[in-house]
Amino acid sequence: MNNVLGFDEDELRRLAGSRSFERGLAYVSSVSAMEIGQRSITAIVDGTDAYEVELTEQANGLTGRCTCPYGQEGNFCKHCVAVALTVLQQADSVPRHRAAATSRGRQLTAWLESRSRDELLSLVKEHIDGNRDLRHRLELRAATAGDDFGAVREHILGLLDTRPFARYGYVEYADAHAYGLQAAEAVVALRTLTETGRATEAVEVARDAIEALARTYGGIDDSDGVVGSVATELAAAHLEACRTARPDPVRTADWLVDHLLGDLGEVTGVLLPDYADALGAAGLAQAHERAAAALRDNPKGWAERYLMEQLMRAEGSVDALIALHAADLAPSGARHLLIAQDLERAGRPAEALEWAERGLREADPEHGPDSRLPDFVCERYTRAGRGADVVPIRRTALLHRRTLAAYRDLRTTARAVGCWNETERTRALETLRADARPRKSLGPTGSALVDALLDDGDHDAAWEAAAAGYADSSQWLTLADLTRDDRPADALDVYLRLIGPLLTRTGDTTYEHLTELLLSARACHRALGTEDAFTTYMTTLRTVQKRKRKLTIRLDQHGL
């Protein structure tokens, strides 16, 4: 590791993976506006868009956040790699930047502490006038501290109003994060009410808030789950208030049942058993009566059945719960699995395994059981030292679901009992081959066969399968990236084939992908000693593509 920083290039490659690390190398020149703080580093990376990156050094290692789509999924992306590499290049200056950041923080704290009450008040008012979100948050906290319940309720529900963020009646992805931050203030206010002895009020407002958010949630592009997290926290705040205030149990049970049986229940993730203490015997009895009536009226209803299952678990009625499941066993074995899980939770493991094994036997022979059922049985067999009995189950699972995951499960199990040999592997690979159709073009869909060969590290066999038509463009690219050093000519051929269709398209995403492929192609030419051929290729490409100004700028940025 770097003496100044808690990471080095090897750590970055581990965090990002080889492919993202290699792509990050090409973006170092696109890093700008970098700020090095005490424990974090922020910067802008020019990609398809101007992406904001934040790196944080924590006790358990380096973490990275990026506003690009891949980064927003929680991955340490190529843009994070580019910023980290830039920091490594400037490692000697990092202590100076951190010392300066510490000094600025102390200076700001000292300055604030030296201001009078009137000066601080004037400063806060100045920022309130220019920041609507800050004003709303402070107004809410002021109202929460007062005695006007109507004002508190109005402020909390106002925070959940989507209209200021909605374009054409819909909160788009770009606005969902800002809305989520504002809505989160409602959670803070509800918890403040509970903590300051106003839990009864918090119960009432929380119900209104949950229903308000659930009604509008369908009109929000919550791809990142920010607003969904707020909904979950609202439900948690309601539960906390109920446990403190102990509201009328029958009325609370009615609200919970109505919520869970309505169209809004899935948004918050409310679980009725969590309310068992607040409901008491009277509330649980009311909920059970309502749920039973609903299930009688709609025996096939998913919400009705799930609510009854929750209640039976809360009441500890294991045998009644098993009878409920057993009355409508699914051909996938999914209900067999539910029975097995409930029996195991009740401390009846032998019965649990019997039901799971029965599920395997009774599952639809054409489509096979729910994939979780073999996992359940195999895990129990493994614990009992019955590893040899696991292998046949994994073989059957692969026949039903010819995926990389199923192949890995069989490989891991067979290795553990010493029977993963060439015969076993060949049979498994042929199972995957039989599920795929070779084709001449790159095609939109790849095959688990190529994925399995790549996962085995058998690159030569992966090349043969790809050449026989079993790979899609993504798998071809992965194969080229993995073997570029050993087979630069073959990899170059792949990159050029992938580049061709992109030359007829436009758009920032296309230009970014095209640039990455060209960088890879250049690396192959360098390995082959044919850099002059690449220079000629790029001259021709630039001439043909000269009208695409954004592409030209991107090529210039990367020295292409």
Side-chain angles (χ1 to χ4, degrees):
M1 293 290 176
N2 185 286
N3 291 330
V4 175
L5 300 163
F7 61 90
D8 54 18
E9 288 194 10
D10 289 340
E11 174 67 4
L12 296 181
R13 189 182 292 274
R14 185 190 68 78
L15 287 170
S18 295
R19 186 170 177 182
S20 287
F21 179 83
E22 295 297 333
R23 291 183 172 186
L25 291 169
Y27 281 83
V28 171
S29 61
S30 300
V31 176
S32 63
M34 188 166 71
E35 292 187 13
I36 299 176
Q38 292 172 273
R39 304 305 301 174
S40 66
I41 300 157
T42 60
I44 301 295
V45 181
D46 183 26
T48 304
D49 201 346
Y51 297 121
E52 298 176 12
V53 173
E54 181 179 9
L55 304 180
T56 305
E57 290 186 73
Q58 300 176 335
N60 59 348
L62 182 70
T63 62
R65 291 192 309 106
C66 180
T67 57
C68 76
Y70 188 62
Q72 288 179 343
E73 293 175 359
N75 299 297
F76 198 92
C77 66
K78 59 191 175 187
H79 307 112
C80 291
V81 171
V83 173
L85 290 171
T86 303
V87 176
L88 285 174
Q89 292 174 357
Q90 304 174 16
D92 292 344
S93 66
V94 167
R96 176 169 52 82
H97 285 293
R98 286 181 172 166
T102 301
S103 176
R104 288 194 301 272
R106 289 173 179 166
Q107 185 178 23
L108 176 59
T109 300
W111 181 79
L112 289 171
E113 290 174 345
S114 70
R115 299 302 92 189
S116 68
R117 177 182 178 279
D118 289 342
E119 286 175 317
L120 290 174
L121 185 59
S122 175
L123 181 64
V124 171
K125 287 181 176 178
E126 175 187 334
H127 283 280
I128 287 175
D129 290 339
N131 189 322
R132 186 193 65 168
D133 292 339
L134 176 61
R135 184 178 74 251
H136 283 174
R137 288 197 295 272
L138 294 180
E139 285 174 347
L140 176 61
R141 296 192 184 190
T144 305
D147 296 324
D148 188 346
F149 174 65
V152 173
R153 181 180 180 281
E154 181 181 344
H155 276 292
I156 289 177
L157 295 182
L159 288 169
L160 298 170
D161 186 358
T162 59
R163 286 175 296 181
F165 299 87
R167 302 178 187 181
Y168 313 108
Y170 184 81
V171 180
E172 297 179 347
Y173 173 81
D175 301 308
H177 184 73
Y179 171 72
L181 290 177
Q182 176 178 296
E185 284 294 315
V187 178
V188 174
L190 288 168
R191 286 184 165 142
T192 301
L193 283 174
T194 299
E195 292 164 1
T196 54
R198 302 170 69 180
T200 300
E201 296 174 10
V203 170
E204 297 298 324
V205 184
R207 290 176 184 171
D208 292 340
I210 289 169
E211 291 169 5
L213 180 56
R215 279 193 299 271
T216 58
Y217 187 74
I220 302 170
D221 183 351
D222 190 32
S223 299
D224 291 342
V226 175
V227 184
S229 296
V230 173
T232 301
E233 288 300 309
L234 281 175
H238 176 257
L239 175 59
E240 292 164 12
C242 286
R243 285 173 171 169
T244 301
R246 300 286 176 171
D248 178 78
V250 172
R251 184 175 170 226
T252 302
D254 284 335
W255 182 85
L256 285 167
V257 171
D258 289 339
H259 180 73
L260 292 169
L261 292 183
D263 297 331
L264 313 178
E266 293 185 26
V267 178
T268 57
V270 168
L271 295 174
L272 194 143
D274 293 340
Y275 287 80
D277 291 341
L279 291 173
L284 286 173
Q286 174 69 4
H288 192 114
E289 183 179 336
R290 291 278 315 276
L295 188 59
R296 284 195 300 271
D297 292 340
N298 187 15
K300 296 293 184 179
W302 180 89
E304 289 79 2
R305 174 179 287 276
Y306 184 58
L307 176 57
M308 183 55 78
E309 290 174 13
Q310 287 189 52
L311 279 163
M312 287 178 172
R313 288 195 179 95
E315 296 161 351
S317 307
V318 178
D319 290 318
L321 184 57
I322 291 170
L324 178 67
H325 292 318
D328 188 20
L329 293 173
S332 67
R335 297 241 166 86
H336 294 78
L337 177 61
L338 287 174
I339 291 173
Q341 291 170 332
D342 285 321
L343 284 167
E344 191 161 75
R345 279 191 289 265
R348 296 155 65 175
E351 294 175 75
L353 183 56
E354 287 175 8
W355 268 99
E357 291 170 329
R358 176 180 164 184
L360 290 180
R361 293 193 302 271
E362 296 179 357
D364 179 355
E366 183 177 351
H367 301 290
D370 183 306
S371 61
R372 297 169 299 169
L373 193 56
D375 290 344
F376 184 95
V377 174
C378 289
E379 185 179 341
R380 274 79 192 158
Y381 280 0
T382 301
R383 280 191 216 156
R386 297 173 58 184
D389 294 332
V390 175
V391 175
I393 295 176
R394 292 303 187 193
R395 286 189 192 124
T396 303
L398 182 62
L399 286 170
H400 289 308
R401 288 178 179 80
R402 304 181 188 197
T403 64
L404 174 61
Y407 177 82
R408 283 173 170 168
D409 287 338
L410 173 57
R411 183 181 63 193
T412 300
T413 301
R415 278 177 175 168
V417 298
C419 68
W420 184 248
N421 50 36
E422 193 57 33
T423 300
E424 186 77 48
R425 177 173 180 262
T426 299
R427 180 166 54 185
L429 291 172
E430 285 305 314
T431 298
L432 296 179
R433 189 185 303 273
D435 191 50
R437 293 182 179 179
R439 54 187 168 274
K440 295 180 180 179
S441 65
L442 292 173
T445 307
S447 68
L449 172 65
V450 174
D451 287 336
L453 291 169
L454 289 172
D455 202 58
D456 281 342
D458 192 347
H459 296 158
D460 289 340
W463 272 105
E464 290 178 10
Y470 289 96
D472 64 8
S473 57
S474 175
Q475 291 172 322
W476 271 112
L477 180 57
T478 299
L479 184 56
D481 287 344
L482 288 172
T483 61
R484 188 170 68 199
D485 293 341
D486 299 325
R487 305 176 68 150
D490 291 332
L492 177 59
D493 181 62
V494 173
Y495 295 136
L496 293 177
R497 282 194 292 146
L498 294 173
I499 286 169
L502 296 179
L503 296 175
T504 63
R505 305 174 195 166
T506 59
D508 289 342
T509 301
T510 295
Y511 297 155
E512 182 174 2
H513 189 199
L514 180 57
T515 301
E516 291 172 353
L517 290 171
L518 288 168
L519 288 168
S520 297
R522 182 173 67 183
C524 291
H525 275 290
R526 285 176 174 171
L528 293 166
T530 56
E531 291 182 76
D532 289 344
F534 182 73
T535 301
T536 301
Y537 175 82
M538 285 304 304
T539 300
T540 303
L541 186 148
R542 278 177 167 272
T543 300
V544 174
Q545 303 289 324
K546 63 183 179 181
R547 293 182 180 275
K548 298 176 180 177
R549 188 168 58 86
K550 284 190 175 181
L551 174 60
T552 300
I553 292 171
R554 187 172 296 279
L555 296 177
D556 289 340
Q557 288 175 336
H558 294 282
L560 289 167

